[in-house]
Amino acid sequence: MGKKKTMYVCTECGYDSAKWYGQCPSCKAWNTLEEITISNDGEKASVKATDLTALTIDQIPADDENRYLTGMNELDRVLGGGIVAGSLILLGGDPGIGKSTLLLQICEYLGQKLKVLYVSGEESAHQIKLRANRLNVYTENLFVMTQKDIVAISDYISSMKPDIVMIDSIQTMNVYSNQSSTGSVTQIRECTNILMTCAKKNNIPIFIVGHVNKDGDLAGPKILEHMVDAVLYFEGDKQLSYRILRAAKNRFGSTNEIGVFEMSGSGLKEVENPSLMLISGRPDNASGTCIACIMEGSRPIFAEVQGLAAPTNFGNPRRMATGFDYNRLNMLIAVLEMKCGYYLGNMDAYVNVVGGLKLDEPAADLSVAVALVSSLKDTVIPDDVIAFGEIGLAGEVRSVVCCEQRIGEAARLGFSRCIIPKNNYKNISHKLKKEIEIIPVSTVREAFENIVS
Ligand code: TYD
Ligand code: MG
């Protein structure tokens, strides 16, 4: 018993092997395999097959899912309707993006009914107090502790029995029995394991903050993703004030939902209608911009797509995409050239999605193409038009999902014309057709000519 075994784990993808490699055989990253020691106790535990029983699914008591609301709709929605008791939630994001702010801020609402324990390994109690004042968090039910020893913290949680725990951050926690340095993969993995046991045993939900490194991976704990119940990423450009919260994994809800926040002088503010924010500030009478509509979970979101086609100075034209897939942009340019008669072969082409949003749905194709053509022809797209549709390799505009929902939202936001795929048109209700002008198109050229006519 207690024998230790050595293994090597990739910090990028979590691949493990008994042998060390310079390059990870799974994700091909170099120099990412780290040595970890695991005890062999598990293998020697002797549970006899005759001692085991399996329950039928209806023998298992069906307690109602117990969820705590956080007082922030945007966060609740990303969590799938609030915090599930006993769940372990990883909140990842770049340093300084606002993870600690978000967690501290929800304490005020949670503290009205629940006992919250906030454990920080990064800031002193005094610093947390200053921040809490700034965020108007004064609840008596918030308990703050600065500690890094995870075993002690876990014991404290078991005896104090708070209703919710926040650990800020997992990179600063350590297990003293473990030889490796704080923040290493072994430490992070072990600490998360201890927290997981603690959360499940006491049925207490625990938030874990995890910093993301330069490459966009959770520093080390990419390997944590499979251990926790939910992984939320806090994204956004630090220069801009918008922040987008996205679920990368959620055992208790959908991963399609996003929450949008704005960082202000007194903490994060929810943005209930992100579309208004994303399309505000659109330049007047400028060519090369078009409004796109994508579905983020159950919500249609509008964003401004900007395209710029400029004569190239070099042999090879440059293509650049921010917020849109680079390869897909190249494909769209090829389709525009070969199938629609818009020549970009001697043009640099740039695409930018305003506000830091990522358009990763095919429905955004049409607006990207229209924005580029608008720039190429130097023709202004009127600001009451939106366009969506997937573009196929034959230059055709293909149908998309949730068409009625997108049109309904466009009408609500005050747009007066929608360019949609022809195949979607027959399924649109008469009521909607009366509310807003709907123009079905089957090619990119048809779309562009309809918009500017
Ligand atoms: P923080 O929550 O400390 O980031 P993280 O925990 O993800 O590392 O956020 C810090 C940033 O947020 C900092 O650059 C300042 C900004 N901020 C505000 O703009 N307003 C505020 O009220 C607070 C508390 C922070
Ligand atoms: Mg922090």
Side-chain angles (χ1 to χ4, degrees), residues 94-101 131 134-135 211 263-267:
D94 289 332
I97 201 83
K99 301 178 293 298
S100 310
T101 308
R131 192 200 291 250
R134 186 158 159 201
L135 298 173
H211 294 294
M263 183 62 96
S264 73
S266 54

Side-chain angles (χ1 to χ4, degrees), residues 43-97:
E43 288 173 18
K44 300 213 171 144
S46 53
V47 180
K48 292 200 191 79
T50 47
D51 295 342
L52 297 177
T53 47
L55 299 174
T56 65
I57 193 81
D58 50 44
Q59 280 174 327
I60 303 170
D63 299 336
D64 273 347
E65 225 176 32
N66 192 5
R67 288 190 185 250
Y68 306 124
L69 294 183
T70 62
M72 280 204 163
N73 281 333
E74 297 288 305
L75 175 59
D76 287 340
R77 199 186 37 249
V78 177
L79 286 168
I83 306 166
V84 176
S87 63
L88 194 63
I89 303 158
L90 179 64
L91 177 62
D94 289 332
I97 201 83

Side-chain angles (χ1 to χ4, degrees), residues 3 36 90 127 161 210 231 241 251 278 284 297 324 337 375 405 421 424 438:
K3 210 177 121 211
I36 64 165
L90 179 64
Q127 283 170 322
K161 296 233 177 297
V231 182
S241 54
R251 286 190 182 143
L278 288 166
D284 290 331
F324 190 74
E337 234 178 270
S375 170
Q405 242 175 304
N424 277 124
I438 301 172

